[in-house]
């Protein structure tokens, strides 16, 4: 058979019609249950102790939300992004509505005789159907976030925002469609009718009718393509499930499938998500949700899991973890994530024996998603398999992703430190790449160093999303986005520059049981005409308690005026005033792994040549994704004597406190 996106509309319609006739009459929610009986699934969830904690979290969320009225989305809140440029004021109540939808629908399905829950679900569905638009204001105004490469995006004032489709409009269409299927007769007929009207009017018809000027995300090679297309495809399958509706369903899916191809083109053979783990969980998650439904709807004829490269993308999730919930959070990723167990257990079933089952304690809490998204929450409950929730800690090992130019290594130290009652885990991650990646930060040569429960040298990850955050002229002045907020050099007063032309060149990437070695030429990251070469070499020694050695070697056509070797940490560095060439990080900053409670974590001692560089500590402020102001420290080693060639060496050694 042709690749899914090569199938013509008529061939697709015939396939859908044949599959529907062979499947016979479907019961509500069949796709979500993956062929199981909905009654059996509900009984298993309500009767198995493995679900108790998750059910308690959903119940607590429902209780919290039902104590309050449905949040208002006022005109004043809607206007704030346009007039001020901040997003949280409108988005907080918007997401509270989605959390309310998710909790009340799931609880109504679990307790079908509970009239209060059914009425609460009906009220929030009606309120969402009444919204002026399902889009976020930041996505309506032709913002830089949505149209950096497409200045034709229709603006708020050019067209009716009810027929615009962004991430959240598409997700809302998916959520309402699946909620209606899940609840079935528990939902009044008027609400079923209203959902059909709104999903078609706000999402499916605009998508199918806008062929002359497709939405910008249809050509995207990142999470927007998968979330929008996957959500619309899923909604269409629910809305147009009968055999006689196969032509209409084909009209939608024939446009959905090429968008998913565009999404996959954003991945290279190594499967790395350059946006980071959080966007892998988001974008690839929606690919999986739709792929599962499409395979069921086509009787197995279209299997998006079987395509070349999909297994590699699935494996990225585990390669990116450092220890417990901590990840290599390059780009706009948070430092810590729980695992969506529904998604993980689905992938374990698709690719059995190919990667490890996540440890049960890594499960993401129901309320962990501040957006209250329906699709992952429903699957975290219904796709959860108790028999697969028996995982161990992430296995030790090193992974090199050659296309993304990421190296991630996890080390288990118990084998060489028998005197400790519990094993200690250490991790190192570094990256090359280029400075025009999705959710780009200027971070070539950036690295993360973690030991026994604490991240000593950190990546700040995502900052607060505002209008300025996505404007090219202001983005890289924000600490977490520019190279000034990363553990990379400042060369002759120059930070790294944004753009695909500014890239690293990998000179060596070797992994052995004893040590990993990763060498990059970073000269191409800087607009510094005299800089001819900047070789950064990481040597990660693993045979004893791990040690990282960093060596930077420069060559200039004209001697520079300054070189600063910068390292970013959440810990206040202690500089040795005696001149012994040691700076100590005490491990008392804000990025502790919440799963590790021992106070016996080591210090990190940074050894250097005091005749070559002088350390200076500067306190900075990072505004994180939720708007909190977090103190961080720039540990700057300034070169003392410079010529056309110059090199420096640092040894990062863990020591007991």
């Amino acid at each position: 058979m042709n690749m899914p996106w090569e199938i013509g509309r008529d061939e697709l319609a015939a396939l859908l019609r044949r599959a529907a006739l062979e499947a016979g009459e479907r019961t509500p929610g069949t796709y979500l249950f993956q062929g199981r009986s909905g009654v059996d699934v509900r009984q298993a969830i309500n009767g198995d102790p493995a679900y108790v904690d998750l059910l308690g979290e959903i119940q607590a969320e429902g209780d919290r939300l039902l104590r309050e009225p449905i949040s208002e989305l006022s005109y004043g809140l809607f206007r704030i992004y346009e007039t001020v440029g901040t997003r949280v004021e409108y988005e907080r109540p918007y997401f509270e509505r989605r959390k309310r939808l998710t909790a009340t629908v799931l609880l109504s399905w679990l307790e079908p005789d509970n009239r209060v829950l059914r009425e609460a679900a009906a009220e929030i569905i009606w309120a969402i159907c009444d919204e002026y638009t399902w889009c976020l204001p930041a996505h309506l105004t032709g913002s830089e976030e949505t149209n950096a490469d497409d200045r034709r995006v229709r603006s708020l004032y050019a067209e009716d925002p009810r027929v615009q489709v962004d991430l959240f409009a598409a997700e809302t269409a998916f959520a309402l469609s699946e909620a209606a299927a899940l609840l079935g007769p528990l939902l009044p007929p008027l609400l079923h009718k209203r959902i059909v009207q709104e999903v078609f009017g706000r999402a499916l018809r605009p998508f199918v009718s806008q062929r002359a000027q497709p939405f910008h995300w249809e050509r995207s090679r990142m999470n927007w393509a998968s979330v929008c297309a996957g959500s619309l495809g899923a909604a269409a399958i629910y809305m147009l499930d009968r055999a006689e509706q196969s032509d209409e369903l084909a009209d939608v899916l024939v446009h959905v499938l090429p968008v998913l191809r565009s999404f996959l083109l954003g991945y290279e053979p190594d499967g790395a998500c350059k946006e980071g783990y959080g966007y892998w969980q988001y974008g690839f998650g929606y690919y999986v949700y739709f792929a599962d439904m499409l395979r069921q709807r086509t009787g197995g004829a279209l299997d998006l899991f079987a395509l070349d490269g999909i297994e590699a993308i699935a494996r990225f999730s585990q390669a990116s973890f450092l220890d417990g919930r901590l990840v290599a959070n390059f780009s706009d990723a948070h430092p810590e994530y729980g695992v969506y167990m529904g998604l993980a257990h689905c992938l374990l079933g698709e690719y059995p024996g190919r990667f490890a089952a996540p440890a049960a304690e890594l499960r993401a809490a129901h309320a962990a998603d501040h957006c209250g998204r329906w699709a992952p929450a429903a699957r975290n409950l219904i796709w959860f398999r108790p028999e697969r929730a028996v995982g161990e800690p992430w296995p030790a090992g090193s992974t090199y992703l050659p296309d993304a130019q990421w190296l991630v290594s996890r080390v288990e130290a118990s084998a060489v430190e028998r005197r400790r009652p519990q094993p200690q885990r250490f991790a190192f991650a570094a990256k090359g790449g280029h400075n025009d990646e999705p959710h780009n930060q200027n971070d070539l040569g950036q690295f993360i160093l973690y030991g026994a429960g604490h991240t000593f040298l950190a990546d700040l990850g995502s900052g607060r999303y505002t209008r300025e955050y996505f404007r090219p002229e202001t983005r890289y002045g924000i600490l977490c986005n520019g190279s000034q907020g990363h553990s990379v050099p400042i060369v002759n007063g120059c930070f790294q520059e944004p753009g695909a032309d500014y890239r690293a060149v990998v000179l060596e990437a070797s992994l052995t049981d004893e040590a990993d070695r990763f060498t990059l030429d970073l000269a191409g990251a800087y607009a510094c005409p005299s800089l001819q070469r900047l070789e950064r070499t990481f040597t990660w020694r693993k045979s004893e308690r791990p040690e990282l050695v960093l060596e930077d070697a420069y060559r200039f056509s004209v001697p520079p005026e300054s070189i600063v070797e910068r390292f970013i940490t959440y810990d206040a560095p202690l500089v040795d005033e005696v001149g012994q060439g040691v700076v100590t990080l005490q491990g008392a900053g804000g990025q502790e792994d919440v799963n590790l409670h021992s106070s016996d974590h080591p210090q990190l001692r940074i050894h250097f040549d005091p005749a070559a560089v002088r350390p200076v500590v500067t306190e900075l402020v990072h505004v994180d994704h939720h708007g909190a102001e977090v103190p961080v420290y720039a540990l700057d080693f300034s070169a003392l004597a410079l010529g056309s060639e110059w090199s420096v060496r640092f040894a990062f050694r863990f020591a007991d406190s």
Side-chain angles (χ1 to χ4, degrees), residues 5-27:
W5 32 85
E6 296 174 347
I7 296 175
R9 183 265 185 197
D10 292 342
E11 181 184 359
L12 180 57
L15 187 160
L16 293 166
R17 186 176 299 105
R18 183 168 60 253
L21 292 172
E22 291 174 355
E25 186 69 23
R26 296 183 185 272
T27 57

Side-chain angles (χ1 to χ4, degrees), residues 117-322:
L117 288 173
R118 292 202 310 273
E119 291 179 354
E123 290 293 346
I124 188 58
I125 289 172
W126 190 264
I128 289 174
C129 288
D130 273 346
E131 288 174 359
Y132 174 59
T133 175
W134 288 345
C135 298
L136 298 184
H139 296 164
L140 275 172
T141 58
S143 71
E144 284 78 8
E145 179 179 359
T146 61
N147 69 329
D149 298 319
D150 181 4
R151 299 299 169 184
R152 299 178 301 159
V153 172
R154 298 170 291 279
S155 75
L156 170 62
Y157 301 107
E159 289 197 18
D160 181 359
R162 287 172 54 89
V163 298
Q164 299 301 295
V165 180
D166 74 338
L167 294 167
F168 295 97
E171 288 180 47
T172 300
F174 185 177
L176 292 178
S177 301
E178 192 159 73
L182 184 67
L183 293 179
L186 296 176
L187 201 63
L190 178 59
L191 280 178
H192 276 282
K193 181 178 180 181
R194 184 83 192 276
I195 287 171
V196 171
Q197 291 173 335
E198 299 297 337
V199 168
F200 273 97
R202 294 175 183 258
L204 298 182
R205 287 197 190 102
F207 175 61
V208 172
S209 66
Q210 295 288 356
R211 294 304 94 209
Q213 189 181 12
F215 291 108
H216 69 92
W217 46 260
E218 296 185 49
R219 296 181 297 277
S220 175
R221 296 187 176 185
M222 35 99 76
N223 69 84
W224 274 76
S226 178
V227 175
C228 293
S231 292
L232 294 177
I237 289 174
Y238 277 121
M239 295 284 103
L240 301 165
D241 199 30
R242 299 193 304 275
E244 61 269 25
Q245 296 173 308
S246 296
D247 286 338
E248 293 177 84
L249 179 56
D251 289 337
V252 179
L253 298 186
V254 77
H255 299 303
V256 163
L257 291 168
V259 182
L260 293 178
R261 177 178 183 269
S262 184
F263 168 71
L264 293 178
L265 288 174
Y267 284 89
E268 295 177 270
D270 64 11
C273 178
K274 296 176 184 178
E275 299 176 272
Y277 176 81
Y279 280 104
W280 172 90
Q281 193 164 247
Y282 185 33
F284 186 61
Y286 274 82
Y287 177 93
V288 169
Y289 309 151
F290 173 72
D292 177 74
M293 290 184 63
L294 181 69
R295 183 171 57 190
Q296 292 184 65
R297 178 61 182 84
T298 62
L302 296 183
D303 187 355
L304 299 182
F305 292 104
L307 299 178
D308 290 344
I310 303 305
E311 183 181 336
I313 300 173
R315 287 201 306 267
F316 168 77
S317 61
Q318 302 201 359
S320 62
F321 276 91
L322 302 177

